[in-house]
Amino acid sequence: MIHGDEADVAAELEQRYRELALARLRAAPSEEPDEDANGNRFCLDCGESIPADRVTAVHAVRCVTCATRRERLARQRAPG
């Protein structure tokens, strides 16, 4: 059980949801990254270099632009 005032409870819940979301992303089957011999990673869609911070944070295989485009298309195609 979470204790504290409403702001503390909200912050704790937000942190838990964020950690769960990141865990799901890390556990999900991923596509094989396109990396060079130095460990630099490149977007599977456009071939642009992916910043190391993004790779570390979300194990990215796509640049922000291409990932955003794919997410937008997936939302448009989703039933609902």
Side-chain angles (χ1 to χ4, degrees), residues 2 6-24 26:
I2 302 172
E6 290 179 21
D8 290 339
V9 171
E12 178 67 23
L13 287 173
E14 180 182 3
Q15 182 63 31
R16 286 184 185 184
Y17 288 135
R18 184 177 299 117
E19 289 169 0
L20 287 171
L22 288 171
R24 279 194 306 272
R26 289 183 185 115

Side-chain angles (χ1 to χ4, degrees), residues 43-72:
C43 178
L44 294 178
D45 291 348
C46 71
E48 292 294 317
S49 177
I50 302 172
D53 290 345
R54 176 168 170 71
V55 172
T56 301
V58 296
H59 303 285
V61 294
R62 288 185 176 76
C63 67
V64 171
T65 301
C66 291
T68 301
R69 184 180 310 120
R70 281 179 162 261
E71 290 167 7
R72 189 177 307 123

